[in-house]
PDB file of all heavy atoms in Angstrom:
ATOM      1  N   VAL F 308       4.792 -40.046  58.919  1.00 99.00           N
ATOM      2  CA  VAL F 308       3.352 -39.837  59.097  1.00 99.00           C
ATOM      3  C   VAL F 308       2.679 -41.143  58.704  1.00 99.00           C
ATOM      4  O   VAL F 308       2.861 -41.623  57.579  1.00 99.00           O
ATOM      5  CB  VAL F 308       2.849 -38.678  58.216  1.00 99.00           C
ATOM      6  CG1 VAL F 308       1.319 -38.601  58.232  1.00 99.00           C
ATOM      7  CG2 VAL F 308       3.457 -37.352  58.683  1.00 99.00           C
ATOM      8  N   THR F 309       1.922 -41.745  59.613  1.00 98.00           N
ATOM      9  CA  THR F 309       1.401 -43.093  59.372  1.00 98.00           C
ATOM     10  C   THR F 309      -0.127 -43.120  59.464  1.00 98.00           C
ATOM     11  O   THR F 309      -0.770 -42.092  59.664  1.00 98.00           O
ATOM     12  CB  THR F 309       2.024 -44.093  60.374  1.00 98.00           C
ATOM     13  OG1 THR F 309       1.484 -43.872  61.684  1.00 98.00           O
ATOM     14  CG2 THR F 309       3.542 -43.934  60.429  1.00 98.00           C
ATOM     15  N   GLY F 310      -0.709 -44.316  59.313  1.00 98.00           N
ATOM     16  CA  GLY F 310      -2.162 -44.444  59.328  1.00 98.00           C
ATOM     17  C   GLY F 310      -2.587 -45.893  59.390  1.00 98.00           C
ATOM     18  O   GLY F 310      -1.917 -46.736  59.962  1.00 98.00           O
ATOM     19  N   HIS F 311      -3.736 -46.178  58.812  1.00 97.00           N
ATOM     20  CA  HIS F 311      -4.286 -47.529  58.620  1.00 97.00           C
ATOM     21  C   HIS F 311      -4.949 -48.129  59.867  1.00 97.00           C
ATOM     22  O   HIS F 311      -6.003 -48.744  59.764  1.00 97.00           O
ATOM     23  CB  HIS F 311      -3.212 -48.484  58.092  1.00 97.00           C
ATOM     24  CG  HIS F 311      -3.737 -49.844  57.715  1.00 97.00           C
ATOM     25  ND1 HIS F 311      -4.758 -50.010  56.799  1.00 97.00           N
ATOM     26  CD2 HIS F 311      -3.382 -51.092  58.129  1.00 97.00           C
ATOM     27  CE1 HIS F 311      -5.004 -51.311  56.672  1.00 97.00           C
ATOM     28  NE2 HIS F 311      -4.197 -51.972  57.472  1.00 97.00           N
ATOM     29  N   THR F 312      -4.333 -47.951  61.043  1.00 96.00           N
ATOM     30  CA  THR F 312      -4.899 -48.585  62.234  1.00 96.00           C
ATOM     31  C   THR F 312      -5.946 -47.706  62.928  1.00 96.00           C
ATOM     32  O   THR F 312      -6.546 -48.126  63.923  1.00 96.00           O
ATOM     33  CB  THR F 312      -3.799 -48.943  63.248  1.00 96.00           C
ATOM     34  OG1 THR F 312      -3.045 -47.768  63.551  1.00 96.00           O
ATOM     35  CG2 THR F 312      -2.873 -50.012  62.691  1.00 96.00           C
ATOM     36  N   HIS F 313      -6.153 -46.494  62.405  1.00 96.00           N
ATOM     37  CA  HIS F 313      -7.165 -45.573  62.952  1.00 96.00           C
ATOM     38  C   HIS F 313      -6.882 -45.180  64.401  1.00 96.00           C
ATOM     39  O   HIS F 313      -7.794 -44.866  65.160  1.00 96.00           O
ATOM     40  CB  HIS F 313      -8.577 -46.167  62.838  1.00 96.00           C
ATOM     41  CG  HIS F 313      -9.076 -46.280  61.435  1.00 96.00           C
ATOM     42  ND1 HIS F 313     -10.415 -46.295  61.109  1.00 96.00           N
ATOM     43  CD2 HIS F 313      -8.426 -46.374  60.245  1.00 96.00           C
ATOM     44  CE1 HIS F 313     -10.558 -46.402  59.798  1.00 96.00           C
ATOM     45  NE2 HIS F 313      -9.357 -46.455  59.246  1.00 96.00           N
ATOM     46  N   GLN F 314      -5.608 -45.194  64.781  1.00 97.00           N
ATOM     47  CA  GLN F 314      -5.218 -44.822  66.137  1.00 97.00           C
ATOM     48  C   GLN F 314      -4.563 -43.439  66.143  1.00 97.00           C
ATOM     49  O   GLN F 314      -4.083 -42.972  65.113  1.00 97.00           O
ATOM     50  CB  GLN F 314      -4.226 -45.848  66.702  1.00 97.00           C
ATOM     51  CG  GLN F 314      -4.762 -47.270  66.744  1.00 97.00           C
ATOM     52  CD  GLN F 314      -5.943 -47.428  67.666  1.00 97.00           C
ATOM     53  OE1 GLN F 314      -5.939 -46.962  68.801  1.00 97.00           O
ATOM     54  NE2 GLN F 314      -6.996 -48.083  67.176  1.00 97.00           N
ATOM     55  N   ALA F 315      -4.547 -42.819  67.313  1.00 98.00           N
ATOM     56  CA  ALA F 315      -3.865 -41.531  67.464  1.00 98.00           C
ATOM     57  C   ALA F 315      -2.621 -41.732  68.322  1.00 98.00           C
ATOM     58  O   ALA F 315      -2.719 -42.270  69.428  1.00 98.00           O
ATOM     59  CB  ALA F 315      -4.796 -40.518  68.122  1.00 98.00           C
ATOM     60  N   TYR F 316      -1.468 -41.346  67.792  1.00 98.00           N
ATOM     61  CA  TYR F 316      -0.236 -41.427  68.583  1.00 98.00           C
ATOM     62  C   TYR F 316       0.807 -40.443  68.049  1.00 98.00           C
ATOM     63  O   TYR F 316       0.815 -40.098  66.874  1.00 98.00           O
ATOM     64  CB  TYR F 316       0.342 -42.846  68.606  1.00 98.00           C
ATOM     65  CG  TYR F 316       0.448 -43.551  67.263  1.00 98.00           C
ATOM     66  CD1 TYR F 316       1.531 -43.335  66.404  1.00 98.00           C
ATOM     67  CD2 TYR F 316      -0.527 -44.462  66.865  1.00 98.00           C
ATOM     68  CE1 TYR F 316       1.631 -43.996  65.186  1.00 98.00           C
ATOM     69  CE2 TYR F 316      -0.441 -45.124  65.646  1.00 98.00           C
ATOM     70  CZ  TYR F 316       0.643 -44.890  64.809  1.00 98.00           C
ATOM     71  OH  TYR F 316       0.730 -45.544  63.594  1.00 98.00           O
ATOM     72  N   VAL F 317       1.633 -39.990  68.960  1.00 98.00           N
ATOM     73  CA  VAL F 317       2.814 -39.184  68.640  1.00 98.00           C
ATOM     74  C   VAL F 317       3.949 -39.809  69.430  1.00 98.00           C
ATOM     75  O   VAL F 317       4.013 -39.666  70.644  1.00 98.00           O
ATOM     76  CB  VAL F 317       2.612 -37.703  69.038  1.00 98.00           C
ATOM     77  CG1 VAL F 317       3.910 -36.924  68.865  1.00 98.00           C
ATOM     78  CG2 VAL F 317       1.511 -37.064  68.213  1.00 98.00           C
ATOM     79  N   CYS F 318       4.786 -40.566  68.740  1.00 97.00           N
ATOM     80  CA  CYS F 318       5.827 -41.354  69.411  1.00 97.00           C
ATOM     81  C   CYS F 318       7.194 -41.064  68.805  1.00 97.00           C
ATOM     82  O   CYS F 318       7.285 -40.616  67.661  1.00 97.00           O
ATOM     83  CB  CYS F 318       5.573 -42.857  69.233  1.00 97.00           C
ATOM     84  SG  CYS F 318       3.933 -43.409  69.672  1.00 97.00           S
ATOM     85  N   THR F 319       8.232 -41.375  69.555  1.00 97.00           N
ATOM     86  CA  THR F 319       9.558 -41.417  68.941  1.00 97.00           C
ATOM     87  C   THR F 319      10.006 -42.871  68.940  1.00 97.00           C
ATOM     88  O   THR F 319       9.901 -43.571  69.940  1.00 97.00           O
ATOM     89  CB  THR F 319      10.567 -40.549  69.703  1.00 97.00           C
ATOM     90  OG1 THR F 319      10.565 -40.916  71.073  1.00 97.00           O
ATOM     91  CG2 THR F 319      10.240 -39.083  69.567  1.00 97.00           C
ATOM     92  N   VAL F 320      10.456 -43.319  67.784  1.00 97.00           N
ATOM     93  CA  VAL F 320      10.979 -44.674  67.623  1.00 97.00           C
ATOM     94  C   VAL F 320      12.384 -44.531  67.059  1.00 97.00           C
ATOM     95  O   VAL F 320      12.585 -43.782  66.096  1.00 97.00           O
ATOM     96  CB  VAL F 320      10.096 -45.510  66.671  1.00 97.00           C
ATOM     97  CG1 VAL F 320      10.686 -46.902  66.458  1.00 97.00           C
ATOM     98  CG2 VAL F 320       8.671 -45.610  67.214  1.00 97.00           C
ATOM     99  N   PRO F 321      13.379 -45.195  67.634  1.00 97.00           N
ATOM    100  CA  PRO F 321      14.745 -45.011  67.145  1.00 97.00           C
ATOM    101  C   PRO F 321      14.924 -45.482  65.705  1.00 97.00           C
ATOM    102  O   PRO F 321      14.366 -46.505  65.307  1.00 97.00           O
ATOM    103  CB  PRO F 321      15.599 -45.846  68.110  1.00 97.00           C
ATOM    104  CG  PRO F 321      14.643 -46.770  68.790  1.00 97.00           C
ATOM    105  CD  PRO F 321      13.313 -46.096  68.789  1.00 97.00           C
ATOM    106  N   ASP F 322      15.704 -44.721  64.928  1.00 98.00           N
ATOM    107  CA  ASP F 322      16.026 -45.129  63.560  1.00 98.00           C
ATOM    108  C   ASP F 322      17.180 -46.143  63.600  1.00 98.00           C
ATOM    109  O   ASP F 322      17.674 -46.470  64.694  1.00 98.00           O
ATOM    110  CB  ASP F 322      16.342 -43.891  62.700  1.00 98.00           C
ATOM    111  CG  ASP F 322      17.640 -43.198  63.085  1.00 98.00           C
ATOM    112  OD1 ASP F 322      18.464 -43.788  63.821  1.00 98.00           O
ATOM    113  OD2 ASP F 322      17.854 -42.049  62.649  1.00 98.00           O
ATOM    114  N   PRO F 323      17.625 -46.674  62.452  1.00 98.00           N
ATOM    115  CA  PRO F 323      18.684 -47.685  62.479  1.00 98.00           C
ATOM    116  C   PRO F 323      19.991 -47.212  63.120  1.00 98.00           C
ATOM    117  O   PRO F 323      20.794 -48.021  63.561  1.00 98.00           O
ATOM    118  CB  PRO F 323      18.894 -48.017  60.996  1.00 98.00           C
ATOM    119  CG  PRO F 323      17.573 -47.739  60.369  1.00 98.00           C
ATOM    120  CD  PRO F 323      17.046 -46.536  61.098  1.00 98.00           C
TER     121      PRO F 323
END
Side-chain angles (χ1 to χ4, degrees):
V308 171
T309 72
H311 187 56
T312 55
H313 292 205
Q314 301 296 313
Y316 48 83
V317 173
C318 308
T319 53
V320 177
D322 69 15

